[in-house]
Amino acid sequence: MILSEKTNGYLPEQCAYAKRVQALLTERGVVSPKAHIVTFGCQQNVSDSERIKGMLLLCGYSLTEEITEADFILFNTCAVRGHAEDRVYGNVGATKKLKQANPNLMVSVCGCMAQQQSVASKFYKSYPYVDIVFGTQQYHRLPEFIYRRITGKRVYELTLDNADIVEDIPISRDGDLKGWLPIMYGCNNFCTYCIVPYVRGRERSRDPQEIIAEATKMINDGFKEIMLLGQNVNSYGKGESHGINFEKLLRMINDIPGDFRIRFMTSHPKDCTEELLDAIRDCKKVERHIHLPFQSGSSRILKQMNRHYDREGYLKLISAARERIPDVEFTSDIIVGFPGETYEDFCETLSLVKEVKFTSLFTFIYSPREGTPAATMPDPISREEKGKWFSELLVTQDEISKELNSSLIGKKMRVLCEEETADGLFTGKGEYYSSVTFEGNHDMIGKFVTVRVEKYENNTLYGTVIN
Ligand code: SAH
Ligand code: SF4
Ligand code: F3S
């Protein structure tokens, strides 16, 4: 893995710390230091981890897939649901033994879970072998934290001051075909169930010129797909003086020369405007797919969730998108069993799923998050009952997925050939959300090919390359 991005704009003091870390590690006899990164959570975290890896390379580490051979282990954590958190405690606990075997090993925990004071304190008090704990707005200071730990006490940095975004952090990207491009950080929406605004801080948009420069560099480096990231990309640029909103940004990225595709997530229905739908229609490099989480089909529950739209508004938006963008595909997130949700409310979610026909759904059982308003709302429905509703939703969606996929038979798609499958076929996504598998050859990887869909079998679409 190589350090592909320029580092000359990155904070000079952090570059100096990185040099000092390199010298100190050599002095202490740590030959060819290795780092192992474990990432939990959403694409935002995956993207942050690519920058964390970039800074570790700058500090002289190389990356390893083997946790047992690492001199630096970092867990980039997620707090969105309880299950995500439980996995982290188990993983971090397992490093205690590794530290006994390698006294030079440093262990670090960062990300959304670490940003919560109670969790960070727990790591500090009950996990003495964790060396560095830092929050979501401090990761650009990693070289400094490593330096401080090598030369002194354990490090604990949780400042969440919504300061300016630090640009030019070195990036070590995980792939060379599809890449993440964060356009904004944080969230201002405070949906009542959600921890993200508390752990990520206020919404901050990157400068459009920085985004264009990063996108251009990615395209020049051979990337064929750029995924624009933000908790609510539709509110990009709000409150900034440059006047570039998400619609304009999409058009600007679409105008960058080159053969590539633009994807984006997540869109919040309340900020999805007709102008944005027009931009998606007009920009030929933008995928014909919108990930548009509706969370619940019941207007009563949507109000309790503080989502700022109702069932009718959401359905109107879907119709408006379908009118403007032929064949547009939708995916969505749904929460089952929000506090106070009744079976009747849940049936409204089911009926919305049947009405819209999403290509795919990301479904979650409500998980109370300490500090959020929903965590204090009465929640009389048992977990078991919610589990039954959840299964009902999965069965319903399964039928819809089959129906939608079968309806694609005969259709032509321009597919980015991404990889070979285990059985020697090739696969990739079209301009829509769905993936298609086909007979091909290695030369096709990284190129766009036109595929005609032939059949749908075992949850897979199969096609034939026609040019
Ligand atoms: N910003 C995105 C979502 C980010 S979190 C948006 O607004 O759509 C990803 C998904 O996790 C959410 O859409 C929601 O469906 C789910 N989620 C968030 N908090 C949750 C909780 N407390 N319990 C269960 N699911 C939750
Ligand atoms: Fe959470 Fe709502 Fe923000 Fe999405 S928009 S991150 S669900 S608070
Ligand atoms: Fe999890 Fe944080 Fe993403 S809470 S879902 S990693 S923004």
Side-chain angles (χ1 to χ4, degrees), residues 107-111 113-117 119-125 127 130-135 138 145 148 154-159:
V107 175
S108 176
V109 181
C110 67
M113 190 178 159
Q115 185 65 59
Q116 299 167 95
Q117 188 65 50
V119 175
S121 304
K122 182 166 166 175
F123 279 121
Y124 208 71
K125 287 195 196 108
Y127 293 73
V130 172
D131 298 284
I132 303 171
V133 177
F134 60 99
Q138 298 303 321
F145 299 155
R148 277 168 45 195
R154 295 166 70 203
V155 177
Y156 180 85
E157 285 282 356
L158 298 181
T159 309

Side-chain angles (χ1 to χ4, degrees), residues 42 79-82 186-187 189 191-196 230-233 265-269 291-295 305 307 309 332-336 338 362-369 372 374:
C42 65
V80 82
R81 285 170 292 274
C187 182
N189 291 318
C191 303
T192 53
Y193 50 82
C194 185
I195 195 76
V196 171
Q231 291 303 340
N232 177 10
V233 290
M265 71 186 295
T266 295
S267 292
H268 194 305
H291 181 62
L292 199 61
F294 73 93
Q295 314 295 358
M305 288 177 161
R307 289 290 289 182
Y309 55 87
S332 197
D333 295 351
I334 297 177
I335 296 178
V336 172
F338 181 81
F362 300 86
T363 46
F364 310 101
I365 293 187
Y366 168 72
S367 167
R369 303 284 71 209
T372 62

Side-chain angles (χ1 to χ4, degrees), residues 51 165 167-168 181-185 204-211 214 236 240 242:
R51 284 165 163 82
I165 295 167
E167 291 292 350
D168 296 318
L181 204 176
I183 62 167
M184 59 202 298
Y185 298 94
R204 295 170 302 153
S205 294
R206 283 178 79 187
D207 192 281
Q209 297 317 322
E210 296 286 353
I211 296 170
E214 190 171 331
Y236 172 80
E240 303 286 343
H242 53 61

